[in-house]
Structure formats: structure tokens, C-alpha cells
Amino acid sequence: MQWLISFQVVYEKLSFKRASEQLQLPSSNVSRHVALLEQLLHVRLLERTTRRIMPTAAGRQLYQSITPLTHGLDHALQEAALSGDSLTGHLKIITPDLPFMADILADFCIRHPQIQLSCDTQLDPTEGLLDGFDLILRFGRGPLKDSSWVAREILRWPSCVVAAPTLLERYSLPQSIDELTKLPCITSMSVLQGMPWRFEHGHTVQVQSGYKVNSGQMAKAAAMKGVGFAILPHHACESEVNNGSLVKITCNRQPEDLVLYALYSGKKYLQIKVKAFLEHLQQAIAPLDIHSKKEP
């Protein structure tokens, strides 16, 4: 079986070195596995030169034949591991400092006592930092940038543009999102790329901002003081809109929803510990009341 797995990964990576890194085996072992498989079958599976590796017709046929089998075996092993009580390993996560996340992380470790957890709370981790972690939870509005990471939507918050009555005494009420370019706005310092503001159907607006913060609470407080217009999740400003402290701005476009994504490696096989945590996370957030407990 190991010979077939080594061949499959070399076929996909077209490199013995990269295959050995994924399999966590010495490159010489991977090369020997492929050579032994070729000897067993009496056929050349991969053409090797000093510059490249190319599959032969026999290699392509074998790969197509074994791939469904290896996928099925991997799925069976993952299901068996998830149904047991012996989940182990070091789980490294980055997440925004969300109130509900603390209990979810602690409950997961209680359920799986052999898991070691390292959690860093950041709103907008840089790309270089992602490589050292198994799972990244981060916010986004609109389409995500292309990445080798897989993105799974966890939570979604519809949003709106708001402003304080005192601000609207100094500036005319905007009728379209284009008018926001001439008005003072509150933006994030780094997360969601700060600007431009993103609206439905792919529309963006390059707003002016002299007030940038990485906190929804700070943005709301500044909006209520009349510092500028802000985009906030509906639930985060619902009571203020109802009591008149903030005014919901009805423009020709609504802001893109604020979405919490889980990002994980784009490798073919999702790590068992990551899969287990994602299932635990989605089960835990299902009964939560978004309007009172999930304010970013």
C-alpha cells in the first residue's frame, strides 16, 4: 500500500522531494517505493530526467485506477478516528477575539484531552504567518483573494451604513454609494483591507477616512459621536438605530455581508484534528443567538 501512496503523491507533485515532504519520508524511500512498484508491474510508470518527471501512459492509467480507492480508504480512516476518543496532536489556530470562541475552544479540548491547543487572537494575520497554523478564522467582505487555502463560511452578518444625527446636520444624507467618497468615513486599520468599502453586486467605493480602527465597538462608538459614517452589522447597531442614536443610511446599494471564514490547507486530505474542530465549531454555533452573542 505504501508503494502506491508514494507513487500517487509523486504523480501529483511531479517531484520526489515535494512528495517526500508531504509524506514526511526520506526522498530515497519514496524513490525506492516507486522503483519497487515498477519492478513488480514490469512497466515504467514515471519518466525521470535531471529536469523533470513525467508520467507514462501506464502511470496515468494506474493513477486513475487507484485514486478512488485511496480516497475511500482515507475517508474511512478519518471517520473511524473521529468516532473514537483518541484524537491527538497539536492544533494551532488563529481567531479574532470573539466572545463565544473562548467556550468553544475550551469545550473542544475537554472533549479531546490529548489535543494540545495553541491559539493566537488576531483580526488580520499576514500571509506569511498562516503557514505555521492549522486553521485560521478571519473576517471578509465580498470575494476572497485567490489562495492555496480552502475557505469555509462559518457565520454571516448582514450590514448597513450608519451615521449619527449630529453628523447628518453637517453633511447631506447620501442618496447613492458614490456620494460616500466625499464624506468622512470610519474604516478598519488593516482587516478587510480597510478600503475600498464593498457593496453588493461587486460595487466598491474608495472612501475618505481619517479614523481607522480594528474594532467594531470602537467604530460604533466613533459613529455615535459623529466622527464619520460607518459600516456595521445590523445586530451590532440595532438598538442604537431604534433609539435614534444612529441613523441607518438607505443608499442604492447595501454593503456586502460581514463573513467569518475558516481557512485551512488546500491539501487533498483535511487533517483529522482540523476536521474534528470544524465539526465541533459548527455544532456549537448553531444554537447561538447571532443578534446578541456574535458581535465582532
Side-chain angles (χ1 to χ4, degrees):
M1 185 64 184
Q2 185 60 60
W3 297 358
L4 289 172
I5 293 174
S6 293
F7 162 73
Q8 182 181 31
V9 178
V10 173
Y11 183 100
E12 293 169 348
K13 299 294 184 182
L14 294 180
S15 166
F16 283 99
K17 180 181 179 182
R18 290 196 294 270
S20 68
E21 290 171 352
Q22 179 171 321
L23 293 167
Q24 298 183 336
L25 292 173
S27 183
S28 58
N29 286 21
V30 176
S31 179
R32 187 171 68 254
H33 292 162
V34 174
L36 290 170
L37 183 60
E38 289 177 325
Q39 290 177 24
L40 177 67
L41 299 176
H42 303 290
V43 67
R44 194 76 163 169
L45 299 172
L46 299 168
E47 294 291 355
R48 292 87 135 172
T49 69
T50 55
R51 294 186 178 181
R52 60 190 298 191
I53 294 174
M54 289 294 293
T56 65
R60 287 191 292 271
Q61 179 61 50
L62 179 62
Y63 176 81
Q64 292 169 5
S65 298
I66 68 171
T67 298
L69 300 176
T70 55
H71 285 184
L73 178 60
D74 181 74
H75 178 74
L77 292 173
Q78 288 198 14
E79 290 300 315
L82 288 172
S83 64
D85 57 0
S86 59
L87 198 64
T88 64
H90 191 179
L91 181 62
K92 293 169 284 186
I93 296 176
I94 295 179
T95 177
D97 191 7
L98 297 167
F100 59 86
M101 193 59 66
D103 286 338
I104 289 174
L105 289 168
D107 288 342
F108 181 74
C109 289
I110 290 172
R111 184 175 178 181
H112 302 288
Q114 296 186 61
I115 284 285
Q116 302 173 51
L117 177 74
S118 295
C119 180
D120 191 358
T121 53
Q122 297 186 40
L123 276 177
D124 191 35
T126 60
E127 289 297 327
L129 198 64
L130 300 184
D131 293 337
F133 288 82
D134 301 305
L135 185 68
I136 315 296
L137 296 171
R138 72 190 307 177
F139 292 118
R141 284 192 196 274
L144 294 177
K145 294 188 297 183
D146 288 338
S147 169
S148 60
W149 290 66
V150 176
R152 179 187 296 187
E153 182 178 318
I154 301 299
L155 284 172
R156 177 178 291 267
W157 294 273
S159 302
C160 58
V161 178
V162 296
T166 54
L167 184 68
L168 296 176
E169 293 174 1
R170 307 197 309 269
Y171 297 94
S172 299
L173 189 70
Q175 301 300 313
S176 71
I177 59 175
D178 293 332
E179 294 178 34
L180 291 170
T181 60
K182 302 175 182 178
L183 300 173
C185 294
I186 299 165
T187 64
S188 62
M189 191 167 61
S190 59
V191 71
L192 307 176
Q193 293 79 53
M195 293 180 286
W197 277 5
R198 301 181 182 276
F199 292 83
E200 60 186 2
H201 307 307
H203 292 268
T204 60
V205 175
Q206 195 72 32
V207 298
Q208 303 176 39
S209 178
Y211 198 89
K212 302 176 182 179
V213 292
N214 268 353
S215 162
Q217 290 287 355
M218 288 184 178
K220 182 169 76 171
M224 292 175 65
K225 295 286 186 181
V227 173
F229 293 80
I231 293 180
L232 297 174
H234 283 298
H235 75 274
C237 59
E238 185 175 19
S239 61
E240 289 76 15
V241 169
N242 289 339
N243 66 29
S245 302
L246 289 172
V247 176
K248 186 182 296 186
I249 309 301
T250 305
C251 293
N252 57 328
R253 302 280 179 189
Q254 292 301 311
E256 286 275 16
D257 294 347
L258 179 65
V259 180
L260 180 66
Y261 290 100
L263 306 179
Y264 50 89
S265 172
K267 291 179 181 178
K268 182 173 294 184
Y269 305 123
L270 179 59
Q271 295 182 73
I272 293 174
K273 60 186 177 182
V274 175
K275 183 176 182 180
F277 179 76
L278 285 173
E279 291 184 358
H280 169 80
L281 173 61
Q282 298 206 282
Q283 290 173 3
I285 64 174
L288 292 180
D289 179 4
I290 287 178
H291 297 289
S292 62
K293 297 182 180 180
K294 293 190 182 118
E295 183 171 337

